[in-house]
Amino acid sequence: MHSASVGSLLFKDLAEYYDKLERVSSRLEMIKILGEMLKELDKNEIADVIYMTQGVLAPPFESVEFGIAEKYMEEAIAIASGRSKEAVHGYYKNKGDLGIVAEELMASTKLKRMGQRQYTSREVYDVMRKIAGTSGEGSKSTKIKELAGMLASTTPLGARYIARYPLGQLRLGLGDATILEALSVMATGTRDVKDRLEAAYNMCSDMGLVASTLKEHGMEAIDKFKVTLFKPIRPALAERLPTSEEIIKRMGGKCAVEQKYDGFRCQIHKDGKKVRIYSRRLEETTDMLPDVVEAVRSEVSAERAIFEGEALAFNESTNEFFPFQETIQRKRKHGVADKALEMPLHLFAFDVMYLDGKDYLGKPYKERREALEGMLKNPSRIRPSTMILTDSPKKLDEFFEESIENGLEGIVAKDLAAPYIAGARKFSWIKLKRSYRGELSDTLDLVVVGYYLGRGSRAEFKFGGLLCATYNEKNDTFETVSRIGSGFTEEQMKELRESLNKIRVAKKPVRVDAVIEPDFWVDLKYVVTVKADEITRSPTHTCGRKKLKDGTEVGYALRFPRLVGPEAIRSDKSPEDATTTKEIEELYSQQKKVGLKE
Ligand code: AMP
């Protein structure tokens, strides 16, 4: 028996669950096993084990990185298994998975395990967290020593996950929806309370907190979750429609129409002078945006507020927006302060969720907008998004054209009566972008589910292309929609090959729905941006797959797909943020309407 402070579940037993999760063949089984695992945990350890299972140390907004390079892990494995560094490295090159290397080498190591105590899951988490906080001189050897100690304090199977966890390569194939359903199973034996758990999660973005609250206080406490300063709310997302007529029809008449800005989405939390900014992925970006922080302090009249806007480079002399390339420079690690002076970002605020003790999430748009305008007394660098109210498609079109002329992306129409719908894509916000009106020139964000080896002239890169999927929100699955073989620079091929090699998995991930096989399957981790000429029907892919009258089954596929943009991997999007199957279906029907051939 272990005391409560170190937790009760031994890491070797957690590893058994992880191994089972890797082996299951259906999502339902996955939820069942995860539910059983969660049941075994007590209230003091469940949050940490949840983070571990998500492959992180903390929720995204806490920005805690592991700070462990593969080289460190190789050295730790060498020490723990009594092999040379070179031998471990060679073995890794051969296997492509340090987890398997650790497992196999530890299994063939004659350790004097007699009397050695097994680490609990909580202890492993605590050591990982301690290592993450270690920096400076001598930190490398401390980290390696601690890692080696952990590898030796568990079973070979446990060592597999100790090696993978801090490298971000757990390969369990889980997503938020899977974990929420498993928590529901833990609490009730059914998936019935998933939506209530999700509502709480949407308000705090902290799965560990949801789990520990549930464990300790039950569903009653889950239903009482409220927005809290410095815990970001999961952002509302916009649906899309192709024409102003359809937008007005769907809105049922009069709606708000706002300019759509292409910059960084910022969720801003303010308590007096304390200001924190979170990205769309809920990572803290405060340090990147000192000018926005300053503007919040001087221009927001509310003492305490949570509000949202888009930050972008804006030329005050000419009243013009700079292109996105100027804004994106802020992502650099260095010279942020200089850049902020040279070209301060402007914030176009478009929503408010909390204001001086009052929760606005459930309030209708109209009321939120009034509150937003009210809290910006002397707008200069922060101003409310430009907005009109209309029920006329013609007016909407004029406003849209004007936005495009001003260098913006398009517009977002908003339902005047709708609350702020956290964490979901709903028709209370509908976007219209230039590109939908004609050909498929809008880009798609697709999840990489597998890749192909290079052949012919690509052989030397050992990279031939990607197998990509859309996200099916309804089923929490990923459906293949395209193989992408072009648009890569040599550098991108190298980057993709290296990154994907590290997350290879032995079989198709449970949440992937596919009828074709890539050379290698990978864990669900990366999103890429893709452009294509059109969407076609195809028997090769499972995206939106339906049985036709003649009995054949077809899905959607992309014609002439190619990778776009400077970044091969979209670091600002997670797999569940990818283009959905539903969006592909809509784009397909829009494409038909504008007369593109099938
Ligand atoms: P998209 O990324 O194309 O799905 O469009 C949604 C994004 O548009 C949001 O995540 C915001 O970052 C951005 N955006 C820009 N202007 C607005 C606005 N006025 N209202 C809501 N979102 C906006």
Side-chain angles (χ1 to χ4, degrees), residues 303-402:
E303 189 58 19
R304 288 182 297 153
I306 302 177
F307 67 106
E308 228 182 359
E310 195 86 0
L312 67 169
F314 181 71
N315 187 336
E316 282 177 83
S317 327
T318 60
N319 249 357
E320 278 175 345
F321 295 97
F322 285 113
F324 186 61
Q325 278 73 0
E326 293 290 344
T327 303
I328 198 101
Q329 301 220 16
R330 225 24 112 71
K331 281 206 161 164
R332 304 185 304 191
K333 285 240 153 59
H334 304 289
V336 166
D338 290 345
K339 205 75 202 155
L341 280 179
E342 184 192 320
M343 193 190 293
L345 298 183
H346 282 238
L347 186 86
F348 291 84
F350 55 75
D351 223 313
V352 63
M353 296 87 124
Y354 171 89
L355 202 58
D356 286 332
K358 194 164 160 194
D359 186 342
Y360 274 84
L361 270 194
K363 307 271 180 224
Y365 171 87
K366 235 170 124 223
E367 218 176 296
R368 300 202 307 279
R369 178 78 193 189
E370 272 165 27
L372 181 71
E373 288 175 8
M375 83 179 198
L376 297 169
K377 291 278 187 279
N378 299 303
S380 154
R381 294 245 301 284
I382 304 181
R383 53 184 96 175
S385 58
T386 304
M387 184 268 275
I388 60 163
L389 292 172
T390 186
D391 59 2
S392 145
K394 190 165 161 282
K395 282 250 169 60
L396 194 153
D397 268 334
E398 282 166 14
F399 186 68
F400 173 81
E401 291 302 335
E402 207 181 289

Side-chain angles (χ1 to χ4, degrees), residues 557-586:
L558 304 180
R559 198 165 113 88
F560 297 133
R562 63 250 176 216
L563 194 83
V564 290
E567 283 182 335
I569 292 166
R570 283 290 300 260
S571 54
D572 61 333
K573 298 220 164 167
S574 64
E576 285 82 5
D577 290 328
T579 299
T580 61
T581 298
K582 201 167 109 215
E583 284 181 285
I584 295 283
E585 282 166 352
E586 274 158 19

Side-chain angles (χ1 to χ4, degrees), residues 236-238 258-265 280 310 350 385 409 412 414 425 429 431 433 436 573:
L237 303 170
E258 298 181 16
Q259 287 186 328
K260 185 174 192 300
Y261 309 91
D262 190 11
F264 298 127
R265 187 168 185 164
R280 184 200 144 105
E310 195 86 0
F350 55 75
S385 58
E409 264 193 318
V412 188
K414 297 184 176 176
R425 197 179 292 285
W429 286 13
K431 60 191 173 189
K433 291 206 228 170
Y436 309 151
K573 298 220 164 167

Side-chain angles (χ1 to χ4, degrees), residues 240 242 400 404 409-410 432-443 531 587 590 594:
R240 50 178 127 193
F400 173 81
I404 298 287
E409 264 193 318
L432 179 65
K433 291 206 228 170
R434 152 134 279 147
S435 36
Y436 309 151
R437 304 157 39 111
E439 62 195 286
L440 184 76
S441 52
D442 195 22
T443 57
K531 217 166 177 175
L587 285 168
Q590 288 163 21
V594 293

Side-chain angles (χ1 to χ4, degrees), residues 47-66:
D48 297 341
V49 174
I50 287 267
Y51 300 136
M52 266 191 175
T53 308
Q54 289 182 308
V56 296
L57 281 169
F61 53 91
E62 283 185 22
S63 317
V64 195
E65 303 285 336
F66 285 100

